[in-house]
Amino acid sequence: MPTRRSPFSVVIAGVILAACSDSATNIVPVDVSTPATSPVALASQTLNCSANVPARTVSCMDAQAGNVSRSPIIVGGQNVYVKLTSSNLVYNSGTGSFAFDVTVQNLAPQAMGTSDGTTGDGTGINVFFQQLPVLTSGSGAVTVTNATGTNGTFLQANQTFYTYPGNKLGGDNILSQGETSSTLNWQFNVPASVTTFSFSVYVSANVAAPNGYITLTSSPSMMAAASQALSATVKSAVGNTIVGQTVSFGTSDAAVATVASDGTVTGVGPGTATITATSTTRSGTAAINVCPTLALGGVYEFTGTAAASFCLGGMGAGQEYVVIPYNGDNAASVALSVTASNLTAVSGNPSPSMAPGDAITVASLFQPTRDYSFEKKLRNEEIALARQLGGQPARSRSRLPGATGAITPGVPLVGATMSLNMLQNACSTSSTTATVKSVGTHIIIMEDNTNPPNQPLTSEYDAMAATFDNLVYPAVTAAFGTPNDIDNNGGRVIAVFTAAVNDLTPSPSSSYVGGYFYSRDLYTAGVCAGSNVGEMFYMLAMDSLGAHGNVRSSSLIKSQSVGTMGHEFQHLINASRRNLPTNEDSWLNEGMSHIAEEKIYYAATSTNPGGNIAYADIHPGGSFTQSYNDYSSNNIGRLYSWLAAPDANAATDASASLAQRGSAWAFLRYALDRKGGTENTLLAALAGGPDIGRTNLTNRLGTSMDTWLKDFVVAAYADDAGISAGSTYLMPSWNFRDIYPHLNYGSGFVYALKTADPTSGVGQSLTLAANGVGYVRLGVGASVFSTVSVAKSGGGALPSNLSVMVLRRK
């Protein structure tokens, strides 16, 4: 009857791979292409095993461990380099079948069954008999009955062996350190007359470094300008230390780290350098990550593959950083995950708020709110119209006689009427009578005769005209130039207050269209029949009874009209000075109009750019100035929307959202401040074309606007944060960190810049729109290093135009 006994173990020679590493030690194989030396007998290291058949046991004596420099390596040593464990031992005395399952465990420092350390070599692991079974008591002969082969040449010819192929060595077809193979059944023929027998075995397998290797013990991370001494230890193939070897050192990138002849490594600049140690036939490497050494407010930019993984150091007292991934793609979004190790909690300013909140809620200033989606639609229609009329005469200084729905040339008298096309319907014709209400030096104000009753008084229109003449016109034309005068009315622009603007907003609505300029009116009637053939814009009419669906109060008309005129005046100048049908890109066109509003604020307050306007400047004595309410509050409110979602919005996107417009204004203001010189000269060049969009701004700045846009998003955190950021990262005209924490937009008194504070080892997900940016704050403790990984969600390489800036904030 078959008899099952308890498992037994035998340990045999083993081979290992040198690609094992941890945070302090790296082992790299040497070249294994050189043929192995001739086999060397290892009789003194043979692992002798004996079997007792009646007792159903097999035991092996420990032998001296060792190896020779050959490929594959052959070693011996019970529980030193490998371990063979048997199970399911069965003996059938009737048939003489003596069978058991055996696994091989790798206990050595190199992976087995591989020549490069990562892929299986196709030969697997061979366990061979240095001595076949020999009878030691009893009678009869013992034979191996199911060996893989008997033609092996390991230490001599025709040696019997068992092969553990790659599929028994794990999913990667190699046996790594500590890994155990699948079982292989060994079968002997042992007659019942046999009492005891013995045999000896070895393991033969390929490894990556058959001649041995060098281990380098080091700190894997260090600060730039710091030094550390590497410890190099020469090892045999199975990890035994070899003394008396001369080792030399080298570096893969001297711009990252240098290494002296004694193994002292000095950090030079951020990045990863591979330090190599070599002896006559052995080598080893250590990857050294050099972290940026930043002063408070200092910035370092990682790009390309360097952005995927880098280190940050806490140095002696601990430091805090803001990691700022910026999507430089102008069209596509990207989803990322930012993960950092060894983090401590961030604390203190900038948090990002800097100042305490005051009990001032400003949301009421924006009720009802401007409907910017309409203006986006209108700008797109203008571009489409320009393309449709491409090749036609762009503009004319003389009006075609007999044109219907067109401005009467010359300077009209108050009370004169004109037949105008009030509808926003491209070149379709329509005719509505409007009456001249006020004639200023630079503006003519008209009123649609079909407006609801109770329109502004003549004196109120005169006040608007005077403000336009004395404030808006000089401020905006000084910046952007003067428009043409195709209606021959002395260079005046026409503002017609018409309920046709009111009708653009459905009823009921909490938003409104304040007015608009439409480049349709700059074409001759022969090119566009619906053109009014003159420089004009359309204004929201007062509607105290809501006859056109929504109540539009006198206070709303008075508070927003002049600012709207300034905004639309820039659009008019921009289109008039260009050779239509070339229209400026919407994002830049709108950004310049918001700069026009700011220019009016400067003129109204007798201030200039660069003054770092703070809360006390816009709210002296406990109330907002009228100039702030009329000309700056909307810019501040729009920028707040971008600060709350900088990952989803950008200055250059086509959304025309509050966030886009706010960031476009702030970015242009940043660029104007950074460029320096006479900024009105630059603005006039922008408005005059003929370039558009990115090309226009880049050519006017004399450098890539995309580079400055990337710097701008860093400045959004660094400016006025009390961290002494360099001039590249300042916004000298406005102190936003002081203004916003005093204002409540419904989400509290905060500088609303959206930040994330992840915990150690937990990925922070970020989805960045085109030109979108994220802000991830990280704390690193004293004398601790953090590894930061930036990965593309779903895998794959990071986009080539992704930049990761690091700002030291504390």
Side-chain angles (χ1 to χ4, degrees):
M1 291 290 292
T3 303
R4 187 176 301 275
R5 305 290 295 189
S6 60
F8 73 94
S9 298
V10 293
V11 178
I12 58 178
V15 175
I16 47 176
L17 165 64
C20 169
S21 67
D22 58 28
S23 62
T25 303
N26 296 270
I27 307 170
V28 175
V30 296
D31 183 13
V32 296
S33 60
T34 303
T37 60
S38 58
V40 177
L42 299 176
S44 64
Q45 300 171 8
T46 301
L47 180 58
N48 297 313
C49 302
S50 62
N52 187 307
V53 177
R56 307 295 196 265
T57 62
V58 175
S59 62
C60 299
M61 296 176 59
D62 291 345
Q64 171 106 21
N67 69 286
V68 295
S69 296
R70 54 171 286 122
S71 180
I73 296 177
I74 297 171
V75 294
Q78 168 78 334
N79 290 328
V80 177
Y81 304 123
V82 291
K83 179 179 180 180
L84 271 71
T85 302
S86 72
S87 61
N88 302 324
L89 190 152
V90 176
Y91 178 59
N92 189 317
S93 59
T95 63
S97 175
F98 190 90
F100 47 90
D101 295 331
V102 180
T103 59
V104 179
Q105 183 181 14
N106 180 10
L107 301 178
Q110 296 193 74
M112 303 169 73
T114 175
S115 296
D116 61 12
T118 58
T119 57
D121 58 14
T123 61
I125 296 174
N126 291 302
V127 181
F128 70 91
F129 288 81
Q130 175 63 12
Q131 182 185 72
L132 288 168
V134 175
L135 182 71
T136 55
S137 66
S139 61
V142 179
T143 59
V144 179
T145 60
N146 73 331
T148 302
T150 58
N151 59 346
T153 302
F154 299 97
L155 295 178
Q156 60 193 38
N158 297 319
Q159 290 183 288
T160 300
F161 62 93
Y162 283 102
T163 295
Y164 286 73
N167 60 12
K168 287 188 175 293
L169 306 182
D172 57 0
N173 295 323
I174 65 176
L175 199 64
S176 302
Q177 183 180 30
E179 187 177 7
T180 301
S181 72
S182 300
T183 60
L184 187 67
N185 188 253
W186 292 21
Q187 297 178 15
F188 290 14
N189 182 270
V190 183
S193 59
V194 173
T195 302
T196 61
F197 64 92
S198 65
F199 60 90
S200 61
V201 290
Y202 284 106
V203 166
S204 174
N206 285 322
V207 294
N211 293 317
Y213 51 87
I214 298 175
T215 61
L216 289 174
T217 303
S218 65
S219 172
S221 298
M222 61 188 299
M223 303 301 294
S227 295
Q228 63 166 309
L230 272 64
S231 175
T233 305
V234 182
K235 297 284 188 177
S236 69
V238 290
N240 295 325
T241 299
I242 301 174
V243 298
Q245 298 285 302
T246 300
V247 176
S248 59
F249 298 91
T251 179
S252 65
D253 191 344
V256 175
T258 60
V259 60
S261 60
D262 64 353
T264 299
V265 176
T266 300
V268 178
T272 300
T274 299
I275 305 301
T276 303
T278 58
S279 63
T280 304
T281 59
R282 300 171 178 90
S283 70
T285 63
I288 303 295
N289 299 312
V290 178
C291 315
T293 299
L294 300 174
L296 190 64
V299 177
Y300 189 85
E301 178 182 355
F302 292 96
T303 59
T305 57
S309 180
F310 53 89
C311 65
L312 298 175
M315 299 189 70
Q319 296 187 3
E320 294 184 12
Y321 301 90
V322 186
V323 174
I324 307 174
Y326 169 74
N327 180 13
D329 195 297
N330 299 331
S333 62
V334 61
L336 303 171
S337 178
V338 179
T339 308
S341 64
N342 299 330
L343 296 181
T344 59
V346 296
S347 62
N349 288 324
S351 62
S353 294
M354 289 290 289
D358 292 345
I360 297 174
T361 298
V362 298
S364 60
L365 296 176
F366 304 99
Q367 297 296 329
T369 59
R370 290 287 296 268
D371 179 7
Y372 294 109
S373 62
F374 164 77
E375 197 159 3
K376 171 190 174 183
K377 172 177 174 289
L378 187 64
R379 298 284 86 84
N380 289 337
E381 287 183 2
E382 287 181 324
I383 293 172
L385 180 62
R387 290 171 180 165
Q388 175 187 340
L389 300 178
Q392 299 293 330
R395 58 180 180 244
S396 172
R397 288 187 177 274
S398 60
R399 175 176 174 271
L400 294 178
T404 61
I407 296 169
T408 302
V411 181
L413 299 175
V414 172
T417 60
M418 299 182 196
S419 180
L420 302 176
N421 179 5
M422 300 293 189
L423 299 182
Q424 184 258 313
N425 59 355
C427 291
S428 300
T429 58
S430 179
S431 181
T432 301
T433 301
T435 300
V436 176
K437 292 294 184 177
S438 181
V439 178
T441 305
H442 302 292
I443 192 170
I444 299 167
I445 295 180
M446 302 182 70
E447 183 180 280
D448 186 338
N449 288 359
T450 66
N451 283 350
N454 302 320
Q455 291 302 303
L457 301 173
T458 299
S459 59
E460 292 173 316
Y461 282 133
D462 287 342
M464 291 182 195
T467 302
F468 185 89
D469 283 343
N470 298 320
L471 178 64
V472 175
Y473 185 90
V476 177
T477 57
F480 300 100
T482 57
N484 290 303
D485 185 21
I486 60 176
D487 50 11
N488 296 315
N489 58 14
R492 293 170 176 83
V493 296
I494 292 177
V496 56
F497 286 77
T498 172
V501 174
N502 302 56
D503 291 337
L504 295 172
T505 304
S507 174
S509 178
S510 60
S511 64
Y512 68 95
V513 176
Y516 64 89
F517 158 76
Y518 198 12
S519 64
R520 176 267 315 268
D521 293 315
L522 298 184
Y523 292 96
T524 63
V527 172
C528 179
S531 173
N532 286 307
V533 195
E535 293 79 19
M536 66 177 296
F537 33 78
Y538 306 81
M539 301 298 299
L540 182 71
M542 192 165 72
D543 188 355
S544 59
L545 300 177
H548 286 255
N550 300 281
V551 171
R552 300 302 182 219
S553 66
S554 174
S555 61
L556 175 66
I557 302 303
K558 292 177 181 178
S559 65
Q560 71 91 36
S561 290
V562 175
T564 299
M565 289 179 188
H567 180 103
E568 302 304 329
F569 191 30
Q570 190 284 139
H571 288 317
L572 189 158
I573 294 170
N574 202 302
S576 177
R577 292 188 58 212
R578 291 171 177 271
N579 184 22
L580 288 170
T582 301
N583 289 83
E584 180 57 89
D585 280 357
S586 178
W587 71 267
L588 184 53
N589 204 345
E590 295 298 343
M592 286 193 284
S593 280
H594 295 315
I595 288 290
E597 297 172 52
E598 183 189 25
K599 285 290 188 178
I600 299 170
Y601 172 81
Y602 289 138
T605 57
S606 299
T607 56
N608 294 295
N612 209 32
I613 296 168
Y615 178 66
D617 299 311
I618 64 174
H619 195 260
S623 61
F624 290 110
T625 66
Q626 191 63 46
S627 297
Y628 171 78
N629 285 340
D630 290 347
Y631 311 123
S632 281
S633 61
N634 282 306
N635 277 340
I636 297 297
R638 286 182 287 256
L639 179 59
Y640 185 93
S641 297
W642 178 76
L643 292 171
D647 50 346
N649 301 277
T652 54
D653 70 45
S655 66
S657 64
L658 290 173
Q660 182 273 319
R661 288 165 170 266
S663 58
W665 162 64
F667 170 57
L668 286 179
R669 170 44 53 206
Y670 164 85
L672 292 168
D673 289 338
R674 180 172 173 179
K675 176 67 174 176
T678 305
E679 68 178 44
N680 284 351
T681 301
L682 188 152
L683 289 170
L686 279 173
D691 298 327
I692 62 173
R694 293 175 184 274
T695 300
N696 191 10
L697 187 53
T698 291
N699 288 344
R700 303 294 85 76
L701 293 175
T703 189
S704 171
M705 66 144 280
D706 289 302
T707 299
W708 283 24
L709 185 59
K710 178 174 57 181
D711 294 338
F712 161 73
V713 301
V714 178
Y717 192 101
D719 181 57
D720 287 311
I723 55 176
S724 303
S727 60
T728 299
Y729 307 109
L730 297 181
M731 298 180 179
S733 288
W734 293 85
N735 189 338
F736 297 122
R737 281 195 180 272
D738 182 68
I739 292 173
Y740 285 111
H742 291 274
L743 310 177
N744 184 358
Y745 286 88
S747 56
F749 300 92
V750 295
Y751 180 62
L753 186 64
K754 180 181 179 182
T755 60
D757 300 341
T759 56
S760 187
V762 178
Q764 176 66 50
S765 296
L766 297 172
T767 298
L768 305 182
N771 298 144
V773 61
Y775 300 87
V776 181
R777 302 189 305 165
L778 306 176
V780 185
S783 302
V784 172
F785 292 96
S786 173
T787 298
V788 182
S789 299
V790 180
K792 183 179 178 183
S793 300
L798 292 176
S800 60
N801 48 17
L802 179 78
S803 295
V804 179
M805 283 76 72
V806 175
L807 166 69
R808 183 183 162 200
R809 62 175 289 269
K810 188 176 179 183

